Amino acid sequence: MSLIAGVDIGNSTTEVCVGEAAADGTIHFLTSASRPTTGTKGTVANTHAIKAALNRAMSSIGRTISDISLIRLNEAAPVIGDTAMETLTETIITDSSMIGHNPSTPAGAGQAVGEILLIDNLSRGIPGTPYIVAADDSYSYEEVAAILNQSADTLDIAGVILKADEAVLVENRLRKKIPIIDEVARIDKLPDGVLAAIEVALPGQTVRMLSNPYGIATLLHLNAEETRTVTPIAKSLIGKRSAVVLKTPGGNVRENVLPAGEIYLNAENSASINLDEGAAEIMKAVADAGKIHDISGQPDTNVGNMLTRIKRGMGELDHTPDADIRITDILAVDTLAPVLISGALAGETCLEKAVGIAAMVKTQHLPMREIADKLKMELGTDVRIAGVEAVMASLGALTTPGTKLPLAILDMGGGSTDAAVISEDGRVTMTHQAGAGELVSMLIETELGLGDRHIAEQIKKYPLAKVESLFHMRMENGQMTFVDESIDPRFYGRVILLAEDGYIRIEKELPMEKIVQVRRDAKRKVFVTNAFRALKSVAPGQDLKNISNVVLVGGSAEDFEIPEMLMEEFADYRIVCGRGNIRGTEGPRNAVATGLVLSYAGERQ
């Protein structure tokens, strides 16, 4: 009897399976475990996670790593994802700016136009000239209200901008009701004497004039050329409760446009395609190219810089002199990305069309041999590189109850989507394609403007709810859920994630419906697109109708909505599709690690 360990190094998770091999070639599975992958997949840094996972697995059966006779590793190909902007216009406003953040407490309603006048300079005001008064936090709300009431008889005060969170408190004390915006952190940057338009929407509504370039032109008397330059500003104010736009002195707005660029496919049918044509046309060009040897981008463009950066990152992992670093597959998806408008006073961004790209990066020398040698030295155990992920996943998937040959599998991980078809006589056809869970997280982070990959991962994994009282919440499907014990007041009125170990509050002020839409769209763009192109490439005759059963495995198959999405999409092809249950106990995880142990028995025979 000897103990055999299969180790699957994934982009996000490293999984192990330990089995006991009998003299007659049969395998008795003993235990399994997983740990987060350390370092980039396919690099020596992975050894830390491998050892941690092996320790956890062996300790669960009262054994140690030294009892293992053989460790079998999968061939791990790194997959690196990044985004490329289709258009990127940087609007630089030098002497003035615009404010369009979304404070939770503006006061008043309506639009007003006037010159910016600092509250310290009210004595310089000219009767009959409309003013927008700006006050920093050196004045209390009582002082601001008193000064405004005192000046209201002699000056035309059309609106107010405050640094402190006190708009409602000031408005309650004014004799004349005017729109007031607060929470403007960099109020000291407001230029005195510049014409400004202010708008505060009614509760439940958003600004209308200042989110429309022609509305801004109407209020600030702009010509056609000036209207064109304020378009990014107007776009950034869509959906805001309040906004201010300042009329920039002539000559202070300039644009710096970096071209989107072309993608060059070095393949059987070499081709080039411009990023501006969008994800659908890019993926059509990839499909028509045949076997791809390498993908590169036009120099000094968005996509060229991105692909160069990806290759450079891989070059840091492969230090061999003859390193042949190639991008062999990409998945492109359309998205929207918030672009920061330079010169803004409150971090304003405007949404620009972008293309998200996951790239499959390969080198002539994958560092797997180094990983095996290091493990062998540190553990004193025989270590071998034993199989390709898609083949091993297929073997593992066959341990799912209710499966038989022929069988197709989709292995959906963090960085790549693998597909394989095993024929009745045991022949395996496989493909390894870029794009999976990490690209979904990147799209969620980008489209929602989170600036936090961890919370994007959480949004991807868990359903949402809105806490509407301390004893009930509205789920994302509209269902009302009541609780026996009071909900923590910190969650009141907030959108939360329903994690296994408690609630997670979404700190960014975003409507629950928008988060749900972005999450579901990102999953469809990545997983549905990749599932179809992967299965089509391995299906007999490249026709999905020749596939009858698909088993979903990998970490992303555990997702609470991806399998259902795929089931709906495959229904038109009469394909039976569902989550795998590896060895009848593991769910969709551990397929590759299990396959590595099973393949040992096959090699012995």
Side-chain angles (χ1 to χ4, degrees), residues 280-572:
E281 290 300 315
I282 293 171
M283 294 314 297
K284 183 177 183 300
V286 170
D288 293 342
K291 182 176 176 58
I292 294 175
H293 308 299
D294 191 18
I295 299 173
S296 58
Q298 183 181 353
D300 298 321
T301 64
N302 274 304
V303 70
N305 293 346
M306 189 208 71
L307 295 177
T308 300
R309 187 167 63 248
I310 289 175
K311 287 187 176 182
R312 189 183 302 123
M314 192 64 211
E316 293 171 1
L317 305 177
D318 184 355
H319 302 292
T320 55
D322 59 343
D324 178 21
I325 299 166
R326 295 174 292 116
I327 295 175
T328 56
D329 182 53
I330 59 172
L331 173 66
V333 293
D334 288 322
T335 184
L336 294 172
V339 179
L340 186 67
I341 298 177
S342 299
L345 297 182
E348 295 85 6
T349 60
C350 63
L351 286 175
E352 293 286 354
K353 190 175 181 184
V355 175
I357 289 180
M360 178 81 64
V361 187
K362 290 187 178 178
T363 71
Q364 194 172 38
H365 166 73
L366 278 175
M368 292 305 300
R369 187 69 261 162
E370 295 175 31
I371 297 174
D373 291 342
K374 185 173 182 182
L375 283 173
K376 186 173 183 177
M377 182 184 68
E378 294 182 356
L379 302 178
T381 302
D382 190 15
V383 182
R384 296 179 194 168
I385 303 163
V388 179
E389 279 180 275
V391 178
M392 297 301 106
S394 301
L395 291 175
L398 279 169
T399 65
T400 295
T403 59
K404 67 172 186 176
L405 296 179
L407 182 72
I409 67 109
L410 266 177
D411 184 0
M412 302 180 294
S416 62
T417 300
D418 304 333
V421 171
I422 312 179
S423 64
E424 288 188 86
D425 59 3
R427 285 181 293 111
V428 179
T429 307
M430 61 184 175
T431 187
H432 192 54
Q433 297 185 330
E438 289 184 1
L439 181 58
V440 171
S441 300
M442 184 177 66
L443 293 175
I444 292 171
E445 178 189 7
T446 301
E447 286 205 33
L448 294 178
L450 299 173
D452 183 341
R453 179 60 62 87
H454 177 69
I455 194 64
E457 283 277 350
Q458 304 288 66
I459 289 172
K460 178 182 72 178
K461 288 170 59 178
Y462 301 118
L464 293 152
K466 176 77 176 286
V467 178
E468 298 190 335
S469 80
L470 296 183
F471 291 93
H472 86 279
M473 64 182 80
R474 176 168 54 89
M475 317 302 280
E476 65 176 59
N477 62 2
Q479 173 188 334
M480 302 299 292
T481 298
F482 294 84
V483 296
D484 295 328
E485 295 185 11
S486 173
I487 299 171
D488 189 323
R490 290 182 300 117
F491 299 120
Y492 176 70
R494 303 303 293 262
V495 177
I496 60 170
L497 295 165
L498 305 174
E500 297 103 336
D501 52 355
Y503 304 145
I504 301 171
R505 189 172 83 167
I506 304 293
E507 298 298 336
K508 193 173 177 71
E509 292 279 358
L510 293 165
M512 180 168 66
E513 294 74 15
K514 178 176 174 120
I515 301 174
V516 171
Q517 179 189 351
V518 168
R519 184 194 71 211
R520 291 184 64 83
D521 285 351
K523 290 177 180 179
R524 286 189 185 279
K525 288 173 184 175
V526 175
F527 284 107
V528 174
T529 301
N530 242 2
F532 271 89
R533 77 182 185 116
L535 287 175
K536 187 176 179 183
S537 70
V538 298
Q542 295 196 324
D543 187 347
L544 285 179
K545 292 181 180 176
N546 293 327
I547 292 178
S548 57
N549 300 281
V550 175
V551 177
L552 306 177
V553 298
S556 294
E558 287 187 311
D559 187 88
F560 69 98
E561 57 190 350
I562 292 170
E564 285 74 15
M565 285 182 183
L566 292 174
M567 287 181 207
E568 290 172 7
E569 297 293 335
F570 288 144
D572 294 341

